[in-house]
Amino acid sequence: MGKKIVTITRQYGSGGREIGKRLAEQLGVEFFDNKLLDHAADHSGIHKSHFEENDEKRPNSFLYLLSTTYGQGGVPFDDTLFFAQLNSIQKIASEQSCVIIGRCADYALRDFEGVVNIFICAPFDDRVKRAIEVYDIAEKHAADYVKRIDKQRTSYYNYYTDKRWGAPSNYHLCLDSSALGIDGSVTLLKQFLDDFYKK
Amino acid sequence: MGKKIVTITRQYGSGGREIGKRLAEQLGVEFFDNKLLDHAADHSGIHKSHFEENDEKRPNSFLYLLSTTYGQGGVPFDDTLFFAQLNSIQKIASEQSCVIIGRCADYALRDFEGVVNIFICAPFDDRVKRAIEVYDIAEKHAADYVKRIDKQRTSYYNYYTDKRWGAPSNYHLCLDSSALGIDGSVTLLKQFLDDFYKK
């Protein structure tokens, strides 16, 4: 049987991470969210804190590019981090079944066989609520915070890939997690993956 | 039990119409594709040929707007057709369960309860193949034809609504029909709808 490789792109506060984690458990495969940063740090020799600081953030201005530290071969340090992460994603997916959250994994694995790309979204108000309840974001800042993280992720993806973040044509399935809730979403997506890998 | 109202927005050649038709059969509800134009014609008194000629096409230039025939109350004729169709969609959905294909139905029913919005897409090459095989489009024109119809639908939707055609946040579920094929897509979506209406 071939490998099962699932990438999950998620709007902030949509429950995409939670859904991915449970799917990995149900599929019996390894789950990569922040663990991907450990892998990239271990394999690149760059300290994990750099991956954490720059996680899913694009270089954000011309001035920043001017002042950025250059890595190997004159490549901006942000790009070095991106490519180290890309290498990790490809190495992981070539070795084992897995569920990977964010980090342009769908793009990194665009030429791999057996990859299923999923996008999880939810209505804005639901995501603000989840930011407050699950991620402990202060209520008065939560709406702005949700917008900012989405913007960061969109910007990072659109900067490093030739695709548009959240365009349905990038994904096999996009799901609004509020339609069935987290449990219901996991059940439906498990069904989808079983059907897909049976084909 | 409440009504089941499903709208299906579809990329041309994705099989969205076929999927919608089979879903309607499985749900035991009425299916509206071209039949929506009959309904709009019957209820507006405008001849069906006008709805057919302008089906999912936006008024396409300033010159066109200048030369357009004005309908009731000085409203451009295209807008009269759009609003007649909008009225039909709302009338149908207030009276019965149904599956409605295209025509900004998700927008028309944005304030209705129990509406599920689905988007069906598929890879471009698959859609060109379907255009040739199912819709009998000449092979040498098929790729251009698929692009043109998508562009028309996008343009029509973006003109008449305050949303962007194909943005996942407009839909409860977006599905690439090539992932499971037409039969598999119908099965998964039926499961999704059953779960949704059970909630």
Side-chain angles (χ1 to χ4, degrees):
Chain A
M1 203 182 63
K3 287 194 289 289
K4 294 176 182 176
I5 299 162
V6 181
T7 77
I8 297 193
T9 305
R10 72 295 183 218
Q11 287 185 333
Y12 182 80
S14 65
R17 183 189 183 280
E18 177 69 20
I19 289 168
K21 195 163 183 287
R22 294 211 215 157
L23 273 178
E25 284 162 12
Q26 293 201 12
L27 292 167
V29 306
E30 204 167 350
F31 174 69
F32 288 89
D33 183 20
N34 290 332
K35 196 159 52 172
L36 186 68
L37 311 188
D38 291 316
H39 190 285
D42 289 348
H43 287 75
S44 67
I46 300 168
H47 198 273
K48 192 186 171 190
S49 60
H50 292 297
F51 289 99
E52 286 172 336
E53 276 162 26
N54 293 278
D55 194 23
E56 295 190 280
K57 291 176 198 152
R58 69 165 275 188
N60 59 8
S61 77
F62 180 63
L63 282 175
Y64 182 83
L65 275 174
L66 282 181
S67 66
T68 195
T69 311
Y70 276 72
Q72 291 176 312
V75 175
F77 189 55
D78 299 78
D79 294 0
T80 302
L81 293 173
F82 174 76
F83 289 118
Q85 216 165 251
L86 198 95
N87 285 340
S88 276
I89 292 167
Q90 291 176 344
K91 190 169 166 50
I92 290 163
S94 65
E95 289 171 353
Q96 64 182 99
S97 293
C98 54
V99 172
I100 303 176
I101 302 292
R103 285 92 186 181
C104 308
D106 59 307
Y107 178 76
L109 303 177
R110 64 197 180 282
D111 296 326
F112 278 57
E113 291 286 319
V115 178
V116 176
N117 300 314
I118 292 170
F119 183 81
I120 304 292
C121 58
F124 184 72
D125 290 350
D126 291 21
R127 299 193 289 122
V128 171
K129 195 164 171 268
R130 190 172 170 88
I132 297 165
E133 290 173 3
V134 178
Y135 295 106
D136 216 18
I137 307 296
E139 196 165 341
K140 64 178 177 180
H141 299 309
D144 286 340
Y145 188 76
V146 169
K147 278 182 204 159
R148 187 162 63 79
I149 302 290
D150 272 0
K151 209 169 166 181
Q152 266 177 17
R153 289 178 184 172
T154 306
S155 197
Y156 178 77
Y157 186 91
N158 295 350
Y159 181 78
Y160 279 115
T161 80
D162 56 357
K163 300 175 172 204
R164 307 298 295 171
W165 193 81
S169 50
N170 298 343
Y171 312 100
H172 295 92
L173 193 148
C174 305
L175 182 61
D176 173 347
S177 61
S178 76
L180 304 181
I182 302 289
D183 289 346
S185 297
V186 173
T187 305
L188 186 85
L189 290 171
K190 177 65 168 48
Q191 187 61 54
F192 174 68
L193 292 168
D194 288 347
D195 292 351
F196 182 89
Y197 287 113
K198 222 181 281 162
K199 243 184 66 177
Chain B
M1 203 182 64
K3 288 194 289 287
K4 294 176 182 177
I5 299 162
V6 181
T7 77
I8 296 193
T9 306
R10 73 294 183 218
Q11 287 185 332
Y12 182 80
S14 65
R17 184 190 183 280
E18 177 70 19
I19 289 167
K21 195 164 184 288
R22 293 209 217 158
L23 273 178
E25 284 162 12
Q26 292 199 13
L27 292 168
V29 306
E30 203 168 350
F31 175 70
F32 289 89
D33 184 22
N34 290 331
K35 197 160 52 172
L36 186 68
L37 311 188
D38 292 316
H39 190 285
D42 288 350
H43 287 75
S44 67
I46 300 167
H47 197 273
K48 191 187 171 188
S49 61
H50 293 296
F51 289 98
E52 286 171 336
E53 276 162 27
N54 293 279
D55 193 21
E56 295 189 278
K57 292 175 197 152
R58 70 165 275 187
N60 58 9
S61 77
F62 180 65
L63 282 175
Y64 181 82
L65 276 173
L66 282 181
S67 66
T68 195
T69 311
Y70 277 72
Q72 290 176 311
V75 175
F77 189 56
D78 298 79
D79 293 0
T80 302
L81 294 174
F82 174 76
F83 289 117
Q85 216 165 252
L86 197 95
N87 285 340
S88 278
I89 292 167
Q90 292 176 344
K91 190 170 167 50
I92 290 164
S94 65
E95 289 170 353
Q96 63 180 99
S97 293
C98 54
V99 172
I100 303 177
I101 302 292
R103 283 94 188 177
C104 309
D106 59 307
Y107 178 76
L109 303 176
R110 64 195 179 283
D111 296 325
F112 279 56
E113 291 285 319
V115 178
V116 175
N117 301 314
I118 292 171
F119 183 81
I120 305 291
C121 58
F124 184 72
D125 290 350
D126 291 21
R127 300 193 288 122
V128 171
K129 194 164 170 267
R130 191 172 170 89
I132 296 165
E133 289 172 3
V134 178
Y135 295 106
D136 216 18
I137 306 297
E139 198 166 339
K140 64 178 177 179
H141 299 308
D144 285 339
Y145 188 76
V146 169
K147 279 183 205 163
R148 188 162 64 78
I149 302 291
D150 272 359
K151 207 168 168 182
Q152 266 177 18
R153 288 179 184 170
T154 306
S155 195
Y156 178 76
Y157 186 90
N158 295 350
Y159 182 78
Y160 278 115
T161 80
D162 57 357
K163 300 176 173 204
R164 306 300 295 173
W165 193 81
S169 51
N170 297 343
Y171 312 100
H172 296 92
L173 193 147
C174 304
L175 182 62
D176 172 349
S177 61
S178 75
L180 303 180
I182 301 290
D183 289 345
S185 297
V186 173
T187 305
L188 186 85
L189 290 171
K190 177 65 168 48
Q191 186 61 53
F192 174 69
L193 292 168
D194 287 347
D195 293 350
F196 182 89
Y197 287 112
K198 223 180 279 163
K199 244 184 64 175

